[in-house]
Amino acid sequence: MTGAAAQRSYCLRDAAQVWFVLTLAAGFAGWVLGSSPPAMLDPAAVPARYAAALALAATPAALLTAAAVRLGRLALLARAAYGAGCVYLGVLKAAGFGLAPWLALGLVPAAALAVRTPPQLTPLFVLAPLSWSLAALYFALSAERWLAGIVSFAAMAGTLLR
Amino acid sequence: MRLLAFLLINPVLLSAWWWWLRRWFALAPLAAAVYAGLLFAAQLVFSQLLLGTLGRLRLSWLLGLLGTVTAVLILWSVRAPPRPAPDAAPAGAERTFDAANVVLGALALAFAIWLGLATWLLPPRGVDDLAYHLPPLYQSAQTGRIALLPLELRAQFALPLGGGLLFLWPLLFLGTETWVDGVGLLIAVYAALVLFALARAFAVASREALFAALLFVLSPLVMAQAGTNYTDLPVVACHLVLLYAAVRFWQEGTAVHLAMAAVAGGLGLGIKYNMLIAVATVQPILLVAVWRQGGAAAVVRRYAPYLAVSLLLPAYWPIRNALTFGEPLYPYALGLGGLRDLGTVPWELVPESGQGGAGRAIGLLLREPARLLVFLFRDPGLASANGGLGPVFWAFGVPALLWCLVRALRAARAGDLLPVLFWGIAPVTLLLFLAQVDAARLPYNMRLLVVLLPLGLLAFALLLERLRASLPGAAAATRAVCLTAAGLAVMQLAAARFPSFDIGLALADRRAGTATTAHRYYRHAHGDLPSLATALEPLDYLTVSGSGWDVYMAADWIVFMTAPLFGSALQNRVWNFQPEPRGAPDALLYHTGFQGGANRLYYVGERITPAEVRRDARYELLTLSGPTELWVARVRLQEPRIRARLAEFYRRRFATDIAAAASLAATLPPADALVGSTNLVHGFRYLGLAGTLTVPVYLVSHGEGAAQARRLRARRVISVGAPLVGANASPLGETRASDGLVRLYLNEFPT
């Protein structure tokens, strides 16, 4: 494979992997937005679900855009197109069109392509955005309890220092 | 002095095993440390079990047995033939203690100090601990025999006590419950050591291995459970040792690892039934490893003995239960669908929020996966011993587990089966968990998933190492987030109420000289324990230095917690638990009115109602707080030692009320009795004990003042708080007491 062909292959695989990640993130976002409020959730936490969904969509997009700057124009364009499509699929899911479009047009082909990506890229392009998305989801859903912990700790420390 | 002896004897017992393993099996120091911890725990558990079965569970017998085994070990080690030293671990290019690990280590130390103070100052206070973990241990310590308490109160009394016996060891040695909760921290630290060793077995650099081990200790759930007697951490420790031994056996094929796997599995099975899943999921690793050594013959020669030891070690509990109840795993039965509850929980007495009936959680996964996902990512149980796997696990551990699974599948295609057998444990465990747990009970049972926490952190350590090699910036950023999460998790403990780690009031009491007993701080716990604390505090304070009382209890079933009745030095006996009580109870504790509960008293053994006690002139109401009443036999309260102790209790706890009562005492008219239901009555009682008030003082249940006057045949009665029904009442004055402005009345009953 020539250098140019290798570069093209690299960019295509990279784009496929980005597609996979964005599809996953958009699907999560759509899933969360489209779900009826879970009975196990405190009604007061419903706004947090929307925050979580936004974080899910925005965090990987931001991270990947930053990474894209390093990789050149072709990958960047691919990212934009695929990203827009995936967010669109997520919105479809949110609007109540079910999982089928997301699975058929997004996740399955993207996953199939992602499997063929060079393994050395996996930690950055799949795991890092996924991790940061999950971290955002986690804190969006449990922020009030973590804040309560900080407040309680400050109160106890105040008692001890008095 | 006893504490010092305890702190000295444990390292000796542990070191004997370490030395024996080093001398006879030429194990590296880390592997010897892992197995020495396991064998030390097994020695404690099975020594106590043996003595408890024989009715000889006394400290002298236990020390004799432990000392004999230790002496044999030492002599045996001395006679060991010389063996080649194991290969030294390759020196890493990176420092183990980099800045991130130093910060995490400092956080872990701060947590350990905090937990140590909480253990010293606060009583054992986990809800399940008070309800059914500790009472059988306390009863066993008192009677010297493994106890099976009345199952009509808690069917869980029939559960195995393998984990509980670890907590019983300091109790037997020190004769006090003070350090019972401290065992949890040691188990957490030990589990972290095993996680470190397991990571090293996977060739993770010591820096990342230590990072993962420290993150384990600093996970919210581990920290919360480290302050309790819950058995999930002992199960995690046994599971980790089992995994470690299985991996080492796969790698080296030596019998010592297979033997240690048998001990770890057997010890774990005697701790908690969910260890069945943990043990089952590890078997493929062991079976394949044995098979590779020689096919079916090796399975018979090596795996069969392993399995026999694994199953024999915990056999006492299923045999006892089978003989007693006809069901080995009572209160469960093992079937094709897993563990099935035999219907021993009176769900009608459980608050609606804690009831099940929503179907298995796996159904929720199939029907509404997003709902389950969102639920899990809310980290149910955070700030309690029920859950809280933490952001590091959910955000980094879970993706890392997925990554390891994908890599394991690739490795399996290349012929390396260990990764897929090892990492496959995580999804199988999760699915079995979801297939067992009722969806509505998930918030209470997330703690059972704690066995996945070290797996997630191990995967994360592998991923971190990979990231560090290829993307150092990403690795550094990820580690920074982990440090922040660990710091937040330590702070989060301050918000926990289940159990509480709030030591502010306890330290303030000590500074002010008003400390009484650790049982006062049940008021920090959740639910109805703060109300119960008003009775438990004087009960312990009055009895701790004597021969103890026989205490009767009746309460709402859900808060029928008998462990505190024993007292901090196990000086009291629970009257309800005695098959043939020696006489009438010395004290009776009633508690009803649990929010959302059945709101009615539940009786165990003989039924003695509050109405009967109120009519019984042998008893006197000592404390009253909303739904909680503590009645004590007058003959006990007349003992000089108890009178002095009670006066001191009033002085420390009701100083405001004593001052308020003293301001009125001189102006009180002659009367036959003084009755009331407020804290000011304690002030008057103190004056009576001090000899500065001659009128008899009676604390009475709300609305019982007139009835008490009739029982006393009193004509002139001073009432505190409200006039008495049926009397001609005239106001005497008012004062400000600890529970607000209180008025006094003189009540004159017609002849």
Side-chain angles (χ1 to χ4, degrees), chain B residues 55-88:
Chain B
R56 292 281 186 273
L57 188 53
R58 301 290 178 208
L59 183 60
S60 53
W61 281 85
L62 183 58
L63 287 177
L65 184 56
L66 293 173
T68 304
V69 171
T70 302
V72 168
L73 276 177
I74 292 171
L75 289 174
W76 197 358
S77 303
V78 169
R79 296 170 59 88
R83 286 172 182 269
D87 293 339

Side-chain angles (χ1 to χ4, degrees), chain A residues 31 35 38-41 115 124 127 131-132 134-135 137-139 141 144-146 149-150 152-153 156 159-160 162, chain B residues 114 369-371 374-375 377-379 382 391 394-395 399 403 463 471 481 488-489 491-492 494-495 502 507 511:
Chain A
W31 232 346
S35 297
M40 287 177 287
L41 279 182
V115 166
L124 172 63
L127 286 174
S131 286
W132 293 108
L134 295 181
L137 174 66
Y138 179 91
F139 281 112
L141 291 173
E144 74 277 18
R145 283 175 295 156
W146 287 97
I150 295 170
S152 299
F153 185 80
M156 196 184 79
T159 307
L160 292 176
R162 268 202 298 275
Chain B
W114 184 359
R371 183 175 156 188
V374 170
F375 171 75
F377 271 78
R378 287 204 78 213
D379 212 355
L382 182 68
W394 288 114
W403 178 67
L463 178 61
L471 297 158
V481 172
L488 286 172
M491 284 197 263
Q492 179 70 24
D502 190 344
L507 286 174
R511 281 201 294 258

Side-chain angles (χ1 to χ4, degrees), chain B residues 167 183-185 187-189 191 216 221-228 230-239 271 447 450 453:
Chain B
F167 299 103
V183 177
L185 176 65
I187 295 172
V189 171
F216 172 79
L221 175 55
V222 173
M223 286 194 287
Q225 286 225 351
T228 70
Y230 279 48
T231 49
D232 300 300
L233 284 183
V235 163
V236 168
C238 287
H239 186 215
I271 292 174
R447 60 196 165 92
V450 69
L453 177 61

Side-chain angles (χ1 to χ4, degrees), chain B residues 194-518:
Chain B
V194 185
L195 176 57
F196 176 82
L198 187 58
R200 296 293 287 151
F202 275 93
V204 175
S206 59
R207 189 171 102 164
E208 272 70 31
L210 181 60
F211 191 69
L214 289 169
L215 284 176
F216 172 79
V217 174
L218 293 167
S219 302
L221 175 55
V222 173
M223 286 194 287
Q225 286 225 351
T228 70
N229 314 115
Y230 279 48
T231 49
D232 300 300
L233 284 183
V235 163
V236 168
C238 287
H239 186 215
L240 278 170
V241 180
L242 178 58
L243 286 171
Y244 175 75
V247 169
R248 293 296 303 271
F249 179 65
W250 180 287
Q251 293 169 337
E252 298 175 16
T254 45
V256 63
H257 298 300
L258 192 59
M260 292 302 114
V263 176
L267 184 63
L269 286 172
I271 292 174
K272 194 163 184 163
Y273 291 145
N274 68 336
M275 187 71 186
L276 282 166
I277 293 177
V279 168
T281 54
V282 179
Q283 296 316 298
I285 300 177
L286 293 169
L287 259 175
V288 174
V290 170
W291 185 271
R292 291 192 317 172
Q293 290 184 346
V299 170
V300 172
R301 200 175 62 251
R302 304 194 81 174
Y303 184 77
Y306 150 81
L307 196 61
V309 172
S310 255
L311 296 177
L312 276 175
L313 283 178
Y316 171 84
W317 308 106
I319 290 173
R320 181 199 68 176
N321 285 358
L323 293 175
T324 313
F325 312 109
E327 185 55 63
L329 302 187
Y330 188 88
Y332 304 104
L334 186 61
L336 290 177
L339 283 178
R340 178 171 52 85
D341 194 327
L342 290 172
T344 52
V345 176
W347 289 109
E348 71 279 8
L349 300 179
V350 176
E352 197 175 336
S353 61
Q355 295 183 2
R360 299 289 169 100
I362 199 161
L364 184 65
L365 174 70
L366 297 174
R367 283 193 315 274
E368 297 174 83
R371 183 175 156 188
L372 184 65
L373 180 86
V374 170
F375 171 75
L376 292 178
F377 271 78
R378 287 204 78 213
D379 212 355
L382 182 68
S384 80
N386 279 338
L389 296 174
V392 175
F393 175 78
W394 288 114
F396 301 127
V398 169
L401 276 172
L402 293 173
W403 178 67
C404 284
L405 272 169
V406 170
R407 286 190 353 145
L409 288 171
R410 285 179 177 162
R413 280 198 308 209
D416 183 6
L417 287 178
L418 178 61
V420 78
L421 292 175
F422 184 88
W423 295 110
I425 289 171
V428 171
T429 302
L430 176 65
L431 287 174
L432 288 173
F433 167 79
L434 294 174
Q436 283 287 300
V437 174
D438 189 296
R441 299 264 320 151
L442 270 175
Y444 304 96
N445 287 328
M446 285 301 292
R447 60 196 165 92
L448 302 180
L449 272 184
V450 69
V451 291
L452 292 185
L453 177 61
L455 289 180
L457 294 173
L458 174 60
F460 179 50
L462 284 161
L463 178 61
L464 259 186
E465 195 173 48
R466 178 70 176 274
L467 273 179
R468 189 156 62 93
S470 55
L471 297 158
T478 305
R479 286 158 72 94
V481 172
C482 292
L483 294 184
T484 309
L488 286 172
V490 173
M491 284 197 263
Q492 179 70 24
L493 279 184
R497 286 290 170 272
F498 173 45
S500 167
F501 290 83
D502 190 344
I503 54 175
L505 179 62
L507 286 174
D509 279 346
R510 282 180 181 262
R511 281 201 294 258
T514 55
T516 52
T517 155

Side-chain angles (χ1 to χ4, degrees), chain B residues 88-112:
Chain B
E94 300 285 347
R95 284 182 306 143
T96 303
F97 291 95
D98 65 345
N101 281 346
V102 168
V103 171
L104 277 187
L107 275 174
L109 182 63
F111 159 66

